[in-house]
Amino acid sequence: MSFQGMDTEQVTGHAEALARAAQRLEGLLGELDGSVRSVAWVGPDADAFREQWGSTRREGESLVMPGLEDRSRELQQHVEEQDRASEDGGWFGDMMDWLGDAAGDVVDVVGDGMDWLGDRISDGADWAGDRIGEGLDWLGDRVQDGKDLVSTAIDAVRDFEWPRFTEVLVDGATGLVRGANGLVELVTGVDHHWGDDGTGYADAPVPVTGEESGLVPPSDLSQIIANTQQTYGDKETGEVSMSVVGNPPTGVIVNIPGTEQWGLSAGDNPMDLTGNALQAGSGGWSAGSQATADAIAQLYADNDIPPGTPLMLNGHSQGGMIASSLAANEDFASQYNVTNVMTYGSPVDNYSVPSSVNQLNIQHGSDLVPRIDAEGSYMGPIVPGPKGIPIPLPVPNPSELLANQNIGSGSTTTVTLDSPGSNIFDVGTNHSGAEYQNSVQTQLQDPNSALSQYNRDPSLAPFLTGDPGNVQHYSSGVHREN
């Protein structure tokens, strides 16, 4: 008699299904390969992507497809063995029943694996398409950056306006960071916003009391600095403070803090490393500048402050750069009566503040930050540096040499104070805003010091008051959208 230990027709069907799955996988890999190679994308990134895809395809063809074919042949072999064993019956038939059930379980597992594999292949195709599209967008952005750079260079040569030394270095570094962000986004699909300064905006200014804000009447230069120090706050959220002196107003002081975030990612607070780079670059403008300008505009509009009211811009480090960039911006300067700018610990020599503005730049002798701008030097020749590495040299302004003119601010006072740190390597102490406040306060105790004389300058009179009832303080959150 004959005995059947498994449903051989069903197992044969599973074996054939595995064989067809191997064929279908081969077809899918071929179609996806054609799609990848047909996209009009050239360059190192495209070559690297296609090479990675080629490796993935080879693994599928050499590992997955042969495995499916082997499983199909094994099942077919079990069917043949079952057919032979069924003719013998007995205990061997019972064993084959068990094997048949086990084979069914194996087929189910393999089927589930094939479904999963098919889903991953589909996801991979979608991911590849997205990455290729993003790669093309990124490539287009880099081409546009290159066109802009060439255009800027042509304008510079034509107008005899060479780029400044630090601007070239900072722009180059910013471009590398943005390029790295583009590559990371191309591979991972995640935009970290490295070097992406976005657009700055401000919250409506809110009146604050001295008790809740720590802001004091701006009775002298050291107290103005004290208010800027009080404006530093939560690193995740930036703000500027503003003091309206007199009623009706005789003067408005804007206090701008320095860098609060040092990561590569550009977040909500524009007072960060990205804003620093954009301020020091050839644009001389950042989301922080834009947000500060927005806060000032809202303050004037909300309180009906006449645009002719004297305006003083004051900032530490990056805040000083923002203050100088606002004073140097023709559009901003045309809307307000900017009479005074005070910076401390700020590299501001690259800003061409109008000579009508009375600018005071305070620096510690050993504070390296104000010297980052290389004193406004311009890009010179490229020469071999240490170990043969090419480096650019800073040179005087070529247009100044050609025209024999003095370009830049005509009424800028730079006061260099003794450093609180033991040496130039004590960067934290020498650059500390609190230490600048102490140094200025000490200088003001000497009536013959340069700062005491400056403190008595008539241009400062509209901003100074020791009467808490004669000043209203405001706070405005500043943000970045990217």
Side-chain angles (χ1 to χ4, degrees), residues 156-174:
V157 173
R158 182 190 61 205
D159 300 332
F160 293 110
E161 294 182 358
W162 268 249
R164 296 182 188 268
F165 178 73
T166 52
E167 291 174 348
V168 173
L169 297 183
V170 171
D171 285 351
T174 303

Side-chain angles (χ1 to χ4, degrees), residues 119-183:
D119 291 341
R120 298 295 76 74
I121 291 175
S122 178
D123 292 344
D126 293 340
W127 180 89
D130 291 342
R131 298 294 80 75
I132 290 173
E134 292 169 0
L136 293 176
D137 291 340
W138 176 84
L139 186 61
D141 291 341
R142 300 292 77 74
V143 170
Q144 185 61 49
D145 289 345
K147 291 170 61 178
D148 293 341
L149 182 61
V150 172
S151 176
T152 301
I154 292 174
D155 291 341
V157 173
R158 182 190 61 205
D159 300 332
F160 293 110
E161 294 182 358
W162 268 249
R164 296 182 188 268
F165 178 73
T166 52
E167 291 174 348
V168 173
L169 297 183
V170 171
D171 285 351
T174 303
L176 289 175
V177 170
R178 287 174 176 167
N181 181 78
L183 288 175

Side-chain angles (χ1 to χ4, degrees), residues 208-211 215-219 244-246 465-473:
V208 294
T209 64
E211 290 76 13
L215 300 174
V216 298
S219 57
V244 179
V245 178
T465 180
D467 181 5
N470 195 38
V471 58
Q472 174 62 63
H473 301 294

Side-chain angles (χ1 to χ4, degrees), residues 324-339:
S324 295
S325 70
L326 290 173
N329 184 275
E330 294 181 2
D331 181 60
F332 180 86
S334 68
Q335 301 177 57
Y336 306 98
N337 181 24
V338 182
T339 62

Side-chain angles (χ1 to χ4, degrees), residues 65-269:
M65 287 169 49
L68 293 174
E69 292 169 348
D70 290 345
R71 300 293 82 72
S72 175
R73 285 193 294 270
E74 287 180 10
L75 287 177
Q76 188 59 47
Q77 183 178 357
H78 286 313
V79 169
E80 294 173 358
E81 292 174 351
Q82 176 62 53
D83 288 340
R84 291 193 299 270
S86 295
E87 298 176 357
D88 297 333
W91 64 269
F92 190 74
D94 294 337
M95 180 183 294
M96 290 308 297
D97 284 341
W98 177 83
L99 288 176
D101 293 339
D105 293 340
V106 170
V107 170
D108 289 340
V109 172
V110 172
D112 292 341
M114 281 301 300
D115 290 339
W116 177 86
L117 182 60
D119 291 341
R120 298 295 76 74
I121 291 175
S122 178
D123 292 344
D126 293 340
W127 180 89
D130 291 342
R131 298 294 80 75
I132 290 173
E134 292 169 0
L136 293 176
D137 291 340
W138 176 84
L139 186 61
D141 291 341
R142 300 292 77 74
V143 170
Q144 185 61 49
D145 289 345
K147 291 170 61 178
D148 293 341
L149 182 61
V150 172
S151 176
T152 301
I154 292 174
D155 291 341
V157 173
R158 182 190 61 205
D159 300 332
F160 293 110
E161 294 182 358
W162 268 249
R164 296 182 188 268
F165 178 73
T166 52
E167 291 174 348
V168 173
L169 297 183
V170 171
D171 285 351
T174 303
L176 289 175
V177 170
R178 287 174 176 167
N181 181 78
L183 288 175
V184 171
E185 183 181 5
L186 179 64
V187 174
T188 66
V190 178
D191 184 0
H192 293 280
H193 297 291
W194 295 344
D196 180 9
D197 197 37
T199 303
Y201 67 96
D203 299 329
V206 177
V208 294
T209 64
E211 290 76 13
E212 64 187 355
S213 65
L215 300 174
V216 298
S219 57
D220 57 35
L221 295 177
S222 69
Q223 296 308 300
I224 295 176
I225 292 177
N227 285 340
T228 301
Q229 291 305 112
Q230 287 296 326
T231 308
Y232 278 97
D234 183 357
K235 293 183 178 181
E236 299 299 323
T237 57
E239 68 176 49
V240 296
S241 66
M242 294 165 283
S243 301
V244 179
V245 178
N247 188 18
T250 62
V252 176
I253 304 174
V254 180
N255 304 303
I256 314 168
T259 306
E260 296 178 306
Q261 288 270 18
W262 289 97
L264 287 177
S265 296
D268 177 77
N269 187 353

Side-chain angles (χ1 to χ4, degrees), residues 390-456:
I391 59 172
L393 291 180
V395 297
N397 183 358
S399 60
E400 181 178 337
L401 295 176
L402 292 172
N404 194 26
Q405 296 175 351
N406 189 13
I407 295 177
S409 302
S411 59
T412 297
T413 300
T414 299
V415 176
T416 302
L417 307 177
D418 293 337
S419 300
S422 57
N423 53 57
I424 62 172
F425 300 107
D426 193 356
V427 178
T429 301
N430 292 326
H431 189 60
S432 165
E435 291 293 345
Y436 270 105
Q437 181 187 349
N438 293 335
S439 296
V440 171
Q441 198 167 30
T442 300
Q443 282 284 308
L444 293 179
Q445 295 173 4
D446 178 3
N448 297 318
S449 69
L451 288 183
S452 289
Q453 296 178 39
Y454 192 92
N455 198 71
R456 296 190 294 267

